[in-house]
Amino acid sequence: MDSKSKAFLCAEEADKLKAADVVLLEVSKYSSFADYFVICSGKSGRQVQGIADSIERSLKEAGIRPLGVEGLREGQWVLMDYGDVIVHVFYEPVRFFYDLESLWSEAETVRWNERSDRADAVKAEEFL
């Protein structure tokens, strides 16, 4: 499976578990260690753990195992390393504190479903 398909699968799985603000960043031009970041958040530590577990289970079914998983036990920021795809599942306040989207602001945001298009349109309208 190529890195983009893997990233899409992670984003879709997070969305199934009602993850908030699922963002897919293409970081390949700015990073030597990954092609994509999937960033999402949950409203509780338990939801964060559930999202991460579901992503791991879904990729395992596709024959893909993580190189490493950090933070699952705490449920504040789970980092899942799939080599070319890095998944960040945050508890919402922690996501706002670290603000990875701003740190990687030069990276292209990839539209991974119809709703991500609509969400961008709504956000754009808020600034007009």
Side-chain angles (χ1 to χ4, degrees):
M1 179 179 294
D2 69 349
S3 59
K4 189 172 187 176
S5 298
K6 192 185 308 181
F8 274 47
L9 180 60
C10 293
E12 290 164 0
E13 195 61 33
D15 188 55
K16 284 181 193 174
L17 268 79
K18 308 286 190 227
D21 299 320
V22 180
V23 174
L24 182 58
L25 299 178
E26 184 175 357
V27 297
S28 59
K29 295 177 186 173
Y30 309 100
S31 166
S32 62
F33 59 88
D35 294 335
Y36 293 94
F37 281 0
V38 177
I39 304 171
C40 63
S41 50
K43 299 205 180 281
S44 69
R46 190 176 290 291
Q47 185 184 18
V48 167
Q49 292 166 331
I51 293 165
D53 284 339
S54 183
I55 291 171
E56 187 171 7
R57 190 176 324 108
S58 180
L59 266 66
K60 186 185 265 186
E61 289 172 4
I64 303 165
R65 297 189 186 277
L67 300 174
V69 176
E70 298 290 331
L72 186 59
R73 185 177 202 196
E74 295 82 10
Q76 298 292 300
W77 177 0
V78 180
L79 184 137
M80 307 172 79
D81 183 355
Y82 286 97
D84 49 1
V85 176
I86 307 293
V87 180
H88 301 271
V89 185
F90 286 99
Y91 174 52
E92 272 186 333
V94 176
R95 180 177 182 174
F96 293 121
F97 180 79
Y98 285 102
D99 196 15
L100 287 185
E101 290 94 334
S102 289
L103 289 173
W104 293 88
S105 62
E106 293 181 12
E108 179 184 345
T109 301
V110 177
R111 300 202 187 333
W112 57 274
N113 74 5
E114 281 183 24
R115 288 187 308 161
S116 63
D117 288 337
R118 286 196 298 268
D120 287 345
V122 169
K123 287 179 187 174
E125 288 175 10
E126 290 175 5
F127 293 106
L128 297 177

